[in-house]
Amino acid sequence: MNDSIPVIRDVDQGTARLLPDVDRDRAWLLTVDGAPQSYVDLDAPDHLEFEYARRLAHVIDCAAAPGAPLDVLHLGGGALTLPRYVAAARPGSRQDVAEADLGLLELVAEQLPVPDGSGITVHGADARSRLEQTAPGSLDVLIADVFGGSRVPAHLTTVEYAQAARRSLRDGGIYAANLADGAPFDFLRSQLATFAAVFEELALIAEPAVLRGRRFGNLVLVASPSPIDTATLTRRCAADAFPARVEHGAALDRLTGAAEPVRDGMAVASPEPPDGAFSIG
């Protein structure tokens, strides 16, 4: 039983809380202004509590043979859930993390430090700036999980951003982003159009209830210059406790509809979630 004491601290983007999981020793939930940001089990980094984190992990798992090390850039750090997962599942991986909230970085480093020799390097930097400084063709995987509060920042939604993402990837590399939207999916459709203008292959992972517009929720956008192993992704996502669908090809084209790519200067952040969509109090 986890009898640790909650930690509450003001960080750059609000009030962060590290809340111990009473059912798991050394496991913590990170929230910022009541919105869940990360869940970490220090003794079991392969335990991914959030559904969207498991879906991002499925993308990572499909990026190379099991156990093979990867070069990964994570845009958005939180409590470093996915970097810890990769370090445990793929020893020898080289991972950089860009997190703009320096107060949050300090809190996580102090309370939930990563093990020595993990291969994880954390940078206090804006996500897009760090991406644009990344050497071309240097990454196997690029993960974007950046939220200002509960919204994806506007400068991470554009063609120019997508072009920087594509430049950073090796042939066969893969990009995956955690997004959030609900019907009528204006933001999601714009993102599909934006990334289709830059990448040859796209896929989308989401729960059926979200795709049908019944509720606001997380969706994982996957993009690559090479074919995506959608069959394996589909099997993995269907086997989760909360199964998700993988849309691609003609189905994704229909979802995109007449949406236009978004360019710098016209971008807006993702929509504000409805009250209670993600908040835990």
Side-chain angles (χ1 to χ4, degrees):
M1 180 175 178
N2 193 342
D3 57 1
S4 302
I5 299 172
V7 179
I8 303 173
R9 186 174 301 175
D10 289 335
V11 295
D12 299 357
Q13 295 189 10
T15 299
R17 288 176 169 82
L18 280 175
L19 308 173
D21 185 338
V22 297
D23 295 321
R24 299 177 69 94
D25 291 339
R26 302 217 315 145
W28 297 83
L29 171 67
L30 169 67
T31 72
V32 178
D33 287 345
Q37 297 291 326
S38 301
Y39 178 98
V40 170
D41 187 329
L42 297 176
D43 294 327
D46 60 342
H47 177 76
L48 302 175
E49 187 77 8
F50 295 164
E51 288 86 1
Y52 81 82
R54 288 197 292 274
R55 290 163 195 154
L56 289 169
H58 292 329
V59 176
I60 295 168
D61 290 342
C62 292
L70 295 170
D71 291 329
V72 187
L73 173 60
H74 301 263
L75 304 180
L80 308 179
T81 302
L82 285 172
R84 298 173 201 265
Y85 173 84
V86 172
R90 298 175 176 274
S93 293
R94 294 180 295 184
Q95 301 187 81
D96 288 289
V97 181
E99 171 59 61
D101 191 322
L102 302 184
L104 183 60
L105 284 183
E106 181 180 353
L107 173 65
V108 171
E110 179 185 294
Q111 300 292 326
L112 308 174
V114 296
D116 291 339
S118 66
I120 300 168
T121 304
V122 181
H123 307 269
D126 173 76
R128 181 159 164 182
S129 295
R130 185 70 197 182
L131 173 61
E132 290 173 343
Q133 295 167 16
T134 300
S138 62
L139 300 178
D140 298 304
V141 179
L142 172 59
I143 300 293
D145 186 12
V146 184
F147 284 79
S150 298
R151 306 177 71 185
V152 178
H155 70 306
L156 305 181
T157 68
T158 69
V159 167
E160 291 84 354
Y161 163 76
Q163 289 169 336
R166 194 188 187 292
R167 281 195 302 271
S168 74
L169 293 172
R170 296 186 172 119
D171 292 340
I174 197 160
Y175 170 89
N178 178 31
L179 307 177
D181 200 5
F185 297 116
D186 291 339
F187 173 72
L188 173 62
R189 295 178 202 276
S190 76
Q191 289 306 282
L192 293 172
T194 295
F195 279 79
V198 175
F199 284 88
E200 288 80 358
E201 300 287 336
L202 294 185
L204 183 72
I205 308 172
E207 288 182 36
V210 175
L211 285 174
R212 292 176 185 140
R214 294 179 181 171
R215 67 178 181 84
F216 192 97
N218 294 101
L219 311 102
V220 172
L221 172 64
V222 185
S224 178
S226 300
I228 297 167
D229 186 356
T230 53
T232 302
L233 267 181
T234 297
R235 289 195 297 271
R236 287 176 176 271
C237 292
D240 282 340
F242 294 92
R245 285 166 44 189
V246 177
E247 300 284 6
H248 59 97
L252 211 54
D253 292 339
R254 289 192 296 271
L255 180 57
T256 306
E260 295 289 335
V262 178
R263 304 199 73 94
D264 285 349
M266 57 184 287
V268 296
S270 65
E272 190 74 40
D275 289 344
F278 298 125
S279 176
I280 63 169

